[in-house]
C-alpha cells in the first residue's frame, strides 16, 4: 500500500480518505499497554507496556521505554506510569514520549540521524545551511491520519490534549478521537450493546446505543485485575505458612522441592546503593500474579461461594472437594491451590468474601459487577434495557479469568428474570484483549469514515476545542 503525501496546510480531499489511498494509524493507550497499528489490520503491530523505567544518570533522570527496558534490573531503576488508576493521563509529557515510542518503534520510521553528527560527513557550512530546520520538519505521522481511543469518562483537557500532540508534535494530517466502549461494540459487530470492559486498573460498564455512548449510564469500579492481584497478595500473606512471592530477577538458581515445602534457591544480591526501586519489584511481582490469574484463578459457579447448594451444604465446602491446581513460584516453591483459587475473584460479585487490611480496604456492595451493571441500566431509557441485556459484550484482559462469563450471566438473570440475557465474549484471546483497538481498525478503514476526520486546516481554524464539537 502506498501512502499519499498529504499536505499539512490544505484540507484533505474526500478521495484521499476513501478506500486504500491512505494508511491511517490507530492508537489505543491503556493502563497496562499501549496498542498501535494500521487501520484495516486484524491485530496491533505495536504492543508496548504503559510502564516506563526511570534511571538516574548523573544529576538527571533518564526515561526508558519498552518490554526489555522495564524488566531489566538496572541500578536504581524506578518504574512509573503516565496513566492514573482510572485510565486518564496524569503525566502528558511522558505519555507523549511513550506513545511516540509505540508508533516509531514498530509502525513508522524513526527520524534519520543528523548528517552533521553521524560521523559520515564533513561539517561544511553548505551542509549546515541545508540542515537548518530539517529536523523540525521530520515528524512521525506526516503521512498518516491518526485515530485515538479514550475512556467514556475522559475530561475536557484529556480530550483536547491528544489532538494537540498529534497535530503539533507529530504532524498528522487528520485526527479522530473515539470512545473505547463504542469501538469494543463495533469489534463485536454491534452498534448497540452494553460493553463490560474488565481491565487491569478498573472495570467499566458502557451502554452504547446506535454508536453513541449513553454518558449517564457509564460507570466504573476499581474491582478489576489489579484488585484481584491485591486479593492474591493477601491470600498468600495470610496462608500458614505464608507463601513467598519472589520475582525471577532475584533468583540465581533453584532446586526442585515437594509441594508445600520451603523453597531451596540461591538468591541474587545487589551492591549497596544499586538495588532497584521497590516499584520495580512490585512490577515483577505483578508478572507472577498475572501468570497465576491466567492459569489458576477461577470464578465459582453456580451460586455464590459463600452460599448454599441444592444438597444443603455450603459451596465453600463443595469448592474444597474440587480438583486443585498446581502452581510453581520462580524460586521453586510450589503448591496445590484449591478453594483459594475461587476466593481471589469472588468479591467481584460478593463483597462478603473480600479479604482486607489497612492498605486494601474492603469494597462496598455497590462496587460489585452485578450492582454496577444494575446502576448503569437504571440510568438509561427503560425501552432499550432489554435490547442492551440481550447484547452484553464482555472484553478486557481480566475477563479471561475462567468462569467469569457464566457467573455474570447467572447473576444478571437473577437480577432481571424477565428479559433475555445474552453475553458475547470473543473466544479469541487477542480479540478480547485488543477489542477497542480492533474496533478502531474497523472504523478507520471504512470508506464512509473519510468525511469524519478532523483535518489540519480545521484544527488550525478552531483549535483543540474542535474535538468537543466533532467527536461526540
Amino acid at each position: 500500500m502506498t501512502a499519499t503525501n498529504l499536505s499539512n496546510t490544505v484540507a484533505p480531499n474526500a478521495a484521499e480518505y476513501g478506500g486504500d489511498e491512505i494508511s491511517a494509524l490507530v492508537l489505543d493507550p491503556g493502563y497496562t499497554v499501549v496498542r498501535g497499528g494500521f487501520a484495516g489490520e486484524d491485530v496491533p503491530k505495536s504492543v508496548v507496556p504503559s510502564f516506563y523505567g526511570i534511571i538516574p544518570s548523573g544529576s538527571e533522570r533518564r526515561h526508558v521505554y519498552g518490554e526489555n527496558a522495564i524488566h531489566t534490573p538496572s541500578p536504581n531503576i524506578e518504574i512509573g506510569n503516565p496513566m492514573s488508576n482510572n485510565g486518564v493521563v496524569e503525566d502528558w509529557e511522558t505519555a507523549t514520549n511513550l506513545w511516540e515510542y509505540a508508533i516509531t518503534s514498530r509502525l513508522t520510521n524513526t527520524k534519520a540521524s543528523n548528517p552533521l553528527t553521524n560521523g559520515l560527513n564533513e561539517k561544511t557550512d553548505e551542509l549546515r545551511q541545508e540542515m537548518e530546520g530539517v529536523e523540525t520538519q521530520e515528524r512521525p505521522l506526516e503521512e498518516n491520519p491518526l485515530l485515538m481511543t479514550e475512556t467514556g469518562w475522559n475530561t475536557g483537557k484529556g480530550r483536547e490534549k491528544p489532538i494537540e500532540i498529534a497535530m503539533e508534535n507529530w504532524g498528522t494530517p487528520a485526527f479522530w478521537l473515539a470512545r473505547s466502549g463504542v469501538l469494543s461494540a463495533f469489534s463485536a459487530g454491534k452498534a448497540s450493546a452494553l460493553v463490560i470492559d474488565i481491565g487491569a486498573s478498573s472495570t467499566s460498564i458502557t451502554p452504547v446505543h446506535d454508536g453513541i455512548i449513553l454518558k449517564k449510564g457509564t460507570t466504573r469500579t476499581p474491582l478489576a485485575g489489579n484488585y484481584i492481584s491485591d486479593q492474591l497478595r493477601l491470600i498468600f500473606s495470610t496462608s500458614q505458612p505464608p507463601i513467598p512471592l519472589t520475582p525471577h530477577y532475584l533468583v540465581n538458581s533453584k532446586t526442585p522441592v515437594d509441594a508445600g515445602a520451603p523453597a531451596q534457591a540461591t538468591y541474587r544480591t545487589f551492591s549497596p546503593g544499586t538495588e532497584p526501586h521497590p516499584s520495580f519489584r512490585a512490577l515483577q511481582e505483578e508478572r507472577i500474579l498475572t501468570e497465576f490469574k491466567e492459569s489458576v484463578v477461577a470464578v465459582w459457579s453456580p451460586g455464590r461461594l459463600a452460599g448454599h447448594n441444592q444438597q444443603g451444604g455450603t459451596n465453600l465446602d463443595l469448592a474444597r472437594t474440587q480438583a486443585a491446581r498446581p502452581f510453581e513460584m520462580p524460586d521453586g516453591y510450589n503448591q496445590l491451590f484449591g478453594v483459594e483459587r475461587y476466593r481471589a475473584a469472588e468479591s467481584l460479585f460478593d463483597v462478603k468474601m473480600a479479604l482486607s487490611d489497612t492498605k486494601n480496604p474492603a469494597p462496598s456492595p455497590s462496587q460489585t459487577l452485578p450492582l454496577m451493571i444494575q446502576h448503569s441500566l437504571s440510568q438509561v431509557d427503560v425501552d432499550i434495557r432489554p435490547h442492551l441485556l440481550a447484547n452484553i459484550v464482555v472484553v478486557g484482559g481480566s475477563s479471561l479469568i475462567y468462569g467469569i462469563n457464566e457467573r455474570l450471566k447467572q447473576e444478571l438473570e437473577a437480577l432481571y428474570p424477565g428479559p433475555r440475557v445474552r453475553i458475547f465474549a470473543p473466544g479469541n484471546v487477542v480479540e478480547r484483549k485488543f477489542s477497542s483497538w480492533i474496533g478502531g481498525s474497523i472504523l478507520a478503514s471504512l470508506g464512509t469514515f473519510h468525511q469524519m476526520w478532523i483535518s489540519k486546516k480545521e484544527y488550525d481554524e478552531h483549535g483543540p476545542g474542535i474535538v468537543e464539537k466533532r467527536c461526540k
Side-chain angles (χ1 to χ4, degrees):
M1 186 190 292
T2 56
T4 309
N5 190 13
L6 300 169
S7 167
N8 284 3
T9 53
V10 188
N13 297 322
E16 288 177 324
Y17 289 98
D20 294 333
E21 286 300 307
I22 53 132
S23 42
L25 281 179
V26 180
L27 191 68
D28 178 23
Y31 178 80
T32 308
V33 289
V34 178
R35 298 153 283 257
F38 291 103
E41 295 190 348
D42 294 336
V43 291
K45 269 199 173 83
S46 175
V47 180
V48 172
S50 298
F51 295 94
Y52 63 94
I54 306 161
I55 299 175
S57 178
S59 59
E60 296 181 353
R61 285 153 63 84
R62 186 166 56 91
H63 288 186
V64 290
Y65 307 101
E67 195 83 42
N68 292 339
I70 65 166
H71 296 311
T72 303
S74 307
N76 302 310
I77 185 171
E78 190 178 336
I79 299 296
N81 192 321
M83 311 285 275
S84 67
N85 282 335
N86 61 8
V88 175
V89 177
E90 280 185 330
D91 179 354
W92 282 103
E93 187 182 345
T94 305
T96 304
N97 293 333
L98 174 67
W99 299 343
E100 188 167 330
Y101 173 84
I103 292 167
T104 56
S105 65
R106 291 275 194 281
L107 306 172
T108 64
N109 292 328
T110 51
K111 286 182 187 177
S113 62
N114 189 334
L116 285 168
T117 57
N118 63 11
L120 301 174
N121 300 282
E122 289 183 25
K123 295 181 181 179
T124 63
D125 291 339
E126 194 179 331
L127 183 60
R128 281 196 180 90
Q129 284 172 359
E130 281 180 21
M131 286 310 299
E132 271 181 23
V134 168
E135 251 188 78
T136 55
Q137 291 166 17
E138 292 175 352
R139 295 184 288 181
L141 289 181
E142 288 193 323
E143 296 183 343
N144 305 89
L146 177 68
L147 183 147
M148 270 186 79
T149 68
E150 61 165 347
T151 60
W153 53 90
N154 203 359
T155 60
K157 185 195 171 185
R159 303 198 77 208
E160 291 179 8
K161 195 70 181 169
I163 190 171
E164 204 178 297
I165 293 164
M167 293 287 183
E168 308 280 352
N169 297 31
W170 300 339
T172 187
F175 181 83
W176 187 258
L177 193 64
R179 311 273 190 184
S180 55
V182 173
L183 298 180
S184 292
F186 287 168
S187 74
K190 297 180 184 297
S192 299
L194 185 69
V195 178
I196 301 168
D197 187 345
I198 310 173
S201 62
S202 64
T203 296
S204 64
I205 292 100
T206 311
V208 179
H209 186 61
D210 289 338
I212 308 274
I213 72 160
L214 307 175
K215 257 198 131 170
K216 276 179 75 178
T218 301
T219 57
R220 70 179 187 275
T221 171
L223 305 194
N226 291 350
Y227 169 78
I228 298 171
S229 294
D230 291 337
Q231 290 290 293
L232 286 171
R233 288 175 195 273
L234 288 170
I235 288 170
F236 293 165
S237 63
T238 55
S239 295
Q240 290 303 325
I243 296 169
L245 194 58
T246 308
H248 288 87
Y249 79 96
L250 287 175
V251 179
N252 269 340
S253 64
K254 62 183 179 182
T255 306
V257 294
D258 292 334
Q264 290 185 15
T266 58
Y267 298 101
R268 179 177 182 176
T269 56
F270 292 89
S271 306
T274 65
E275 307 93 339
H277 190 268
S279 60
F280 179 82
R281 174 164 183 156
L283 180 66
Q284 301 312 309
E285 288 178 354
E286 187 58 45
R287 293 180 87 190
I288 305 168
L289 296 171
T290 298
E291 196 180 326
F292 189 90
K293 286 183 283 188
E294 289 171 349
S295 56
V296 177
V297 172
V299 175
W300 179 261
S301 183
R304 296 193 164 186
L305 192 59
H308 288 73
N309 53 45
Q310 292 173 337
Q311 287 74 40
T314 65
N315 284 329
L316 213 49
D317 289 335
L318 185 58
R320 290 189 179 100
T321 66
Q322 302 295 306
R325 287 270 179 93
F327 187 82
E328 184 177 319
M329 296 291 178
D331 61 359
Y333 176 88
N334 66 95
Q335 182 62 280
L336 287 166
F337 294 90
V339 71
E340 303 91 348
R341 74 191 195 98
Y342 296 109
R343 180 148 195 180
E346 181 64 17
S347 50
L348 266 62
F349 301 92
D350 181 9
V351 291
K352 283 190 229 141
M353 294 300 288
L355 294 168
S356 61
D357 62 8
T358 49
K359 273 180 67 185
N360 302 283
S364 65
S366 62
Q367 291 178 311
T368 59
L369 285 183
L371 294 187
M372 291 293 287
I373 294 167
Q374 187 180 41
H375 175 72
S376 175
L377 288 172
S378 71
Q379 300 297 307
V380 304
D381 194 289
V382 69
D383 295 336
I384 65 170
R385 286 177 203 170
H387 183 66
L388 293 176
L389 280 166
N391 291 277
I392 295 172
V393 176
V394 178
V395 294
S398 298
S399 71
L400 291 160
I401 288 174
Y402 182 79
I404 204 164
N405 294 324
E406 292 79 2
R407 176 66 177 275
L408 194 56
K409 189 173 193 293
Q410 170 203 309
E411 294 272 351
L412 291 176
E413 282 173 343
L415 281 173
Y416 300 97
R420 186 181 182 191
V421 175
R422 288 183 68 195
I423 290 180
F424 298 85
N428 187 323
V429 172
V430 170
E431 288 178 29
R432 194 88 69 91
K433 280 185 170 179
F434 303 148
S435 64
S436 52
W437 185 91
I438 292 168
S441 174
I442 293 166
L443 183 65
S445 62
L446 293 176
T448 50
F449 184 69
H450 67 80
Q451 63 206 16
M452 304 294 287
W453 291 108
I454 298 170
S455 70
K456 179 73 166 75
K457 186 179 180 185
E458 289 174 298
Y459 172 78
D460 289 341
E461 282 177 16
H462 303 283
I466 192 169
V467 168
E468 286 286 351
K469 298 188 187 82
R470 292 279 297 279
C471 307
K472 299 292 185 187

